[in-house]
Structure formats: C-alpha cells, structure tokens
Amino acid sequence: MTDDPLPPPSPTPLSGRTTARTAAVIPAAGRGVRLGPGAPKALRALGGTPMLIHAIRAMADSRAVSLVVVVAPPDGAAEVKTLLDAHALPDRTDFLVVPGGESRQESVKAGLDALPPGYDIVLVHDAARPLVPVDTVDAVIEAVRDGAPAVVPALPLTDTVKQVEPAGEPGAPEPVVATPDRSLLRAVQTPQGFDRATLERAHETVKGNVTDDASMVEQLGLPVVTVPGHEEAFKVTRPLDLVLAEAVLARRRLNDGF
C-alpha cells in the first residue's frame, strides 16, 4: 500500500475484453449497528481477521482488479491504513485508503473521485460481503467488458414475498396488499460492476437517497443486467450472519486450504 499518488495507467478502450483496467471501491465507513455495540461492522473479526480484509482480498483475488480503493470512516483513515499494512495483501494489486462521507452514497463518490485516470471498469463492493467467490467477481467484470453499463450479481428468491402497507408503529400488524411473482424477483449482491463513465454520471446526476449504485444507473434510464450470484456472497448484518460466515470460512479452510 502507498499513500503517494498512483501513476495513471494507459487508457484502453472498454471494448478491449482482456485489457480494460478494473478498480474496486469498498465503502467501509458505516457503523453496522445491527451487529451490536463494538467496532464498526467492517472491522469485526471473521476467523481472526477483520471482515474488511476478507472483502479486500476477495476483490484482489481477481487478476483483473489492479486497484482497490477502501473508503474509511471520516475520522478512521489512519486506522484503516494501519490495518492494511498489518495484513498480507497481493503484491500485484495497488491499494488506497480515503476518508468517506456520512452516507454510503457520499462514500462511494469519495472512492470514485480518488480513482486515477485509465481505469475503465469500476466495481463497488460491500465490506460486509467478505466471502464473495472470485468467480462471481470475474463474471461481473466480464459482463461489463462485453458492453453492459451496469451489472449486478443476483440470486432467485426462495421465499414467497409479500407487499404490505407499512404499520403506523413498530411491531403493529401490517396488511398485505399484494404477492409479487417471485420468479420475476432477484436478491441483489455485490460487487456491482460499471462502466466508469456511467457510474460517475450517475453520482453526479442522482441526488436522492438510494440503496445501491445500480439503482442510480436505472434512474438514468440505462440498462442494468444481472449475472448469477453466489450463496456465499451474503451480507453479514446480524450476529447470526457472522456465525454463518465463520462456518463458511471454516469449511473453506478445511476443504481448500483457504
């Protein structure tokens, strides 16, 4: 990792399937209150290693990713830099740490603003999805290389979904108003991949509160496509998710020497 500005790589056309340069932005500025008191969610330990480090390695495991930008809490950039220095990360990948904003959208924008010229594809990945397989990362990148302006990994839903009228107070019964056809619905994961110019335009144009970057591209009227997600790319949000993540990591270490 270096704090010095990175030299800009040579620009390449996005249509160059094997040459378009890819950077990953990991917003890690949130507190993660649903996991309970303690360290920010991204710094919680998973198998003895902070989830953030697992998420960074998941991006760097793809040979297509040559730069990872970690967006730290506004007052925690130095701590995150120290954390990265303390863990082994691939030598072939460059790493930057920048301070984030008060919202996820502001933090992703800060990561985008830190990207040097010459990176044509940008991944945005949740630090709370530490176990996404490299095949999923590569599939997202490949779809952007093939011309999609925005790509999301997604899984079919297994549960029936109900649309409800929100209750007036927490815990009150909520009337069901519709049952959407779940065959038309998908649960979206990360990393989400973008043509860089498209993502930058979305962040310059869309100012309302959004839950993911792909929805910003949707608001521009541009197509968003899905690729198959993976069951191990789940988001660690609640204590039970952390238990499941520990089990997945233990199985990987047992079976694959991870």
Side-chain angles (χ1 to χ4, degrees):
M1 187 185 68
T2 177
D3 296 333
D4 298 327
L6 296 175
S10 300
T12 55
L14 191 59
S15 58
R17 288 168 54 86
T18 60
T19 57
R21 299 288 295 266
T22 300
V25 175
I26 303 181
R31 297 298 304 178
V33 293
R34 281 177 287 183
L35 268 181
K41 178 164 55 178
L43 302 184
R44 298 293 180 92
L46 172 60
T49 300
M51 281 200 296
L52 176 59
I53 298 298
H54 287 287
I56 292 170
R57 288 173 176 165
M59 296 300 98
D61 279 346
S62 171
R63 293 189 174 275
V65 175
S66 51
L67 171 64
V68 177
V69 179
V70 182
V71 187
D75 58 351
E79 179 183 1
V80 172
K81 287 178 183 178
T82 300
L83 185 70
L84 266 62
D85 288 338
H87 290 83
L89 297 171
D91 291 336
R92 68 174 182 271
T93 307
D94 290 314
F95 301 91
L96 290 175
V97 177
V98 298
E102 294 300 320
S103 69
R104 183 185 185 280
Q105 191 169 345
E106 291 173 349
S107 292
V108 174
K109 179 65 163 55
L112 271 176
D113 290 343
L115 291 181
Y119 290 93
D120 304 296
I121 298 173
V122 180
L123 305 179
V124 181
H125 183 56
D126 294 333
R129 296 184 190 269
L131 300 177
V132 57
V134 67
D135 288 349
T136 302
V137 180
D138 288 341
V140 171
I141 296 170
E142 187 68 13
V144 180
R145 284 178 173 167
D146 283 346
V151 181
V152 296
L155 291 175
L157 298 183
T158 56
D159 294 326
T160 297
V161 177
K162 300 292 186 183
Q163 181 181 344
V164 301
E165 183 71 32
E169 58 185 50
E174 297 177 322
V176 172
V177 297
T179 303
D181 182 355
R182 73 182 183 191
S183 69
L184 303 177
L185 302 176
R186 298 292 183 268
V188 172
Q189 302 175 324
T190 69
Q192 298 184 354
F194 304 89
D195 165 64
R196 178 178 179 171
T198 298
L199 185 59
E200 289 178 335
R201 178 184 163 199
H203 275 271
E204 292 293 341
T205 305
V206 179
K207 299 303 180 183
N209 189 32
V210 294
T211 56
D212 72 348
D213 296 271
S215 64
M216 299 174 71
V217 174
E218 291 174 47
Q219 292 187 44
L220 297 180
L222 298 175
V224 176
V225 302
T226 68
V227 296
H230 196 282
E231 62 183 4
E232 293 182 359
F234 61 90
K235 190 173 186 179
V236 178
T237 302
R238 297 176 175 84
L240 185 59
D241 300 327
L242 192 57
V243 173
L244 178 58
E246 292 280 4
V248 171
L249 187 59
R251 186 186 65 187
R252 286 185 181 184
R253 287 172 170 168
L254 179 64
N255 294 342
D256 305 324
F258 178 80

